[in-house]
Amino acid sequence: MAKTNDMANMPMRSLIFKMSWPPFCSMMMAYSYNLVDSMFVAWAGEEELAAVSLAFPCNTFITACAIGFGVGINVLVARHLGEKDQRAADHAATNGLVFATLIGVLLNILLLIGLRPYLRLSVRGEALTALCMDYMQIVIFMVVPAMIQVAIQKILQGTGNMIAPMLLQMSGVAFNFVFDPMMIFGWGPFPELGVKGAAIATVFGYILSAALSLYVLLGRRQKVTVTLKGYLLDPVQTADTLKIGFPSFLMNVLGAAMVSFMNGILIGFSITAVSFFGAYFKVQQIIERAVNSLVQGVLPIMSFQYGAKRPDRLHQALRLGLIYAAAIMGIGMVILLLFPAPILGIFRASADMLAVGIPAMRIMGIGYVFAGCSIIFATYMQAIKNIRQSVIINILRQAVLLMPLAFILSRALGIYGAWIAFPAAEAATFVYACLVYRLHKRAESSD
């Protein structure tokens, strides 16, 4: 039980680093699927890049479902281990993996049914619609292996094992990176498949990661045991998993909804604006996922301390999480302010895209530090079972404030108004999150 003792006794700075850097590597590798697709597809043309960008909300929704449910499993496993209840931890892992697989199958069917209606609402032009269909009707099949792989990743992370999930993720990413250009451009033994090739490489990368993850969890000794012997689906455990994971799901799925909403606004200005925003959002997600990897490390730590009734270490984790999140997002802000043109050059940006993108990236980067701190406050609320406030913070950031502001300001100030909405929404959400935390601390002190 060395890992569990680390959660209880290791100095907090060292523990956060130990728990966060492997998820950082894993999340960057997971995210690289769509980023790699975009980079290689951009070589084929701006319209192909736009097609993958328009498909990004669908990919993000799949990832959101996997991460949301996986985080629920992660928190329960860590909490039960903190309570020294091995049987409950084993049951949480087993129930979570089974239900994650069932959710994956259901989502696969629903996404296939809803694909054409989604494209009719969000895409204009027959050629662009055809490219989106070519990519999305294949990439949707990543949902089942993604649900399985992420569920296992979060089970292992809940026990303190952060290295194996990173290595398992790496296998699929390496496959995708090698086979993506081969299938897109017809290198080696493969025919030239264009965006279809990018989708096929992505799906098989996830299948490889899922298969290896199952082997590691079921075939190697772990700190939780998953067994189907005498197993019955537990509706109470499942409801707890969904409730706990909902804020993480919401944080990710709202990103998909926000991108779809912004695409609807930006396409009224130009297809170049849509292509830019797709490229920018991938860069922005790299920076924000660095904070999310910090969340993946800090959340089980906070959950363990909450289960073990260690408020001193719980609040220490919060304070350090806020400092590290502000530092990460501050670095991201400086990069966007100083180097927007080289960043867009990765996507072979045209002169028109640079004209749109350079000022946009500098404006949107202003809100990054506020965003990082709000995310950590939401994570703290999630760990202490205050799911309501965690959900509210996430909704404010990416929906309730951002979407109306983007709509109103884009009408009043043109395309620049759409960019200004981002830092404005992040600053307002940060103020709300600080007030909620102060009220919580005041109530805690009076008890």
Side-chain angles (χ1 to χ4, degrees):
M1 299 294 292
K3 300 280 187 183
T4 300
N5 289 336
D6 284 348
M7 296 271 267
N9 302 314
M10 179 179 281
M12 189 58 68
R13 293 177 188 273
S14 300
L15 181 59
I16 290 176
F17 177 78
K18 178 182 179 181
M19 295 289 285
S20 298
W21 77 262
F24 173 77
C25 296
S26 296
M27 292 183 78
M28 290 301 102
M29 287 184 288
Y31 182 66
S32 73
Y33 280 104
N34 195 267
L35 180 63
V36 167
D37 285 357
S38 297
M39 289 171 58
F40 287 124
V41 166
W43 296 357
E46 192 170 290
E47 193 166 53
E48 283 79 3
L49 175 59
V52 175
S53 298
L54 288 164
F56 187 69
C58 180
N59 292 9
T60 304
F61 176 74
I62 294 170
T63 304
C65 292
I67 290 176
F69 196 75
V71 166
I73 303 170
N74 174 280
V75 169
L76 286 176
V77 168
R79 185 179 298 163
H80 291 317
L81 290 176
E83 295 166 346
K84 296 182 170 52
D85 190 341
Q86 184 67 47
R87 182 178 178 182
D90 292 344
H91 185 61
T94 301
N95 193 74
L97 180 57
V98 171
F99 199 72
T101 305
L102 295 177
I103 290 177
V105 173
L106 178 62
L107 280 176
N108 204 330
I109 295 170
L110 293 176
L111 288 170
L112 285 173
I113 293 171
L115 178 56
R116 286 188 182 276
Y118 166 75
L119 291 178
R120 281 198 295 268
L121 289 173
S122 59
V123 182
R124 300 178 185 178
E126 292 184 7
L128 187 57
T129 300
L131 286 171
C132 289
M133 279 295 298
D134 286 344
Y135 182 76
M136 294 176 68
Q137 67 186 352
I138 296 172
V139 85
I140 281 172
F141 285 94
M142 75 183 230
V143 65
V144 174
M147 292 294 296
I148 293 171
Q149 190 269 324
V150 173
I152 295 173
Q153 179 187 67
K154 298 306 177 188
I155 289 169
L156 296 176
Q157 289 175 355
T159 69
N161 182 352
M162 312 302 282
I163 302 299
M166 177 186 69
L167 297 177
L168 293 167
Q169 191 80 59
M170 189 182 297
S171 63
V173 171
F175 180 96
N176 186 55
F177 189 84
V178 171
F179 285 92
D180 225 17
M182 296 176 70
M183 292 185 176
I184 291 171
F185 302 111
W187 297 351
F190 299 101
E192 184 177 345
L193 298 173
V195 292
K196 288 183 179 179
I200 292 169
T202 295
V203 171
F204 276 95
Y206 272 101
I207 290 173
L208 176 63
S209 290
L212 293 175
S213 297
L214 283 168
Y215 168 73
V216 168
L217 180 66
L218 303 179
R220 305 292 295 271
R221 185 174 179 82
Q222 302 296 337
K223 291 180 180 173
V224 290
T225 301
V226 172
T227 177
L228 297 178
K229 185 177 180 180
Y231 169 76
L232 292 174
L233 191 64
D234 187 339
V236 175
Q237 185 85 261
T238 300
D240 285 345
T241 305
L242 290 170
K243 180 180 177 181
I244 294 167
F246 183 70
S248 296
F249 162 79
L250 193 65
M251 184 171 67
N252 286 277
V253 82
L254 283 175
M258 182 272 292
V259 171
S260 295
F261 182 84
M262 288 300 298
N263 283 340
I265 291 175
L266 296 175
I267 205 165
F269 292 98
S270 69
I271 191 69
T272 299
V274 174
S275 297
F276 155 71
F277 191 69
Y280 159 77
F281 193 70
K282 292 170 180 60
V283 175
Q284 184 260 351
Q285 285 286 283
I286 292 175
I287 300 168
E288 190 165 299
R289 284 184 184 228
V291 173
N292 287 342
S293 67
L294 175 65
V295 167
Q296 299 309 311
V298 169
L299 180 57
I301 293 171
M302 290 180 176
S303 300
F304 183 97
Q305 311 310 327
Y306 183 77
K309 296 181 171 56
R310 295 285 302 274
D312 54 333
R313 284 176 63 82
L314 174 63
H315 289 288
Q316 186 184 12
L318 171 63
R319 288 192 298 271
L320 290 174
L322 288 170
I323 293 169
Y324 297 153
I328 291 168
M329 295 300 272
I331 292 169
M333 179 183 69
V334 171
I335 290 171
L336 290 190
L337 291 175
L338 298 180
F339 308 110
I343 292 170
L344 290 174
I346 296 171
F347 301 93
R348 300 204 168 188
S350 63
D352 288 342
M353 187 184 290
L354 289 172
V356 170
I358 290 175
M361 293 177 79
R362 287 173 172 160
I363 292 169
M364 288 187 284
I366 295 171
Y368 275 24
V369 174
F370 297 124
C373 293
S374 296
I375 289 169
I376 296 298
F377 277 125
T379 301
Y380 173 80
M381 294 298 165
Q382 188 176 2
I384 65 170
K385 299 184 180 181
N386 193 340
I387 304 301
R388 178 172 172 267
Q389 289 298 339
S390 183
V391 168
I392 289 173
I393 292 169
N394 285 315
I395 290 177
L396 286 175
R397 284 189 59 231
Q398 300 187 78
V400 172
L401 292 176
L402 175 59
M403 292 184 185
L405 281 173
F407 180 80
I408 294 167
L409 293 177
S410 66
R411 294 296 185 274
L413 304 174
I415 196 169
Y416 287 96
W419 313 137
I420 292 169
F422 283 83
E426 296 291 8
T429 302
F430 172 71
V431 171
Y432 175 82
C434 289
L435 290 173
V436 167
Y437 176 69
R438 286 177 65 87
L439 290 172
H440 166 74
K441 284 291 291 178
R442 187 177 301 170
E444 190 178 57
S445 300
S446 64
D447 289 343

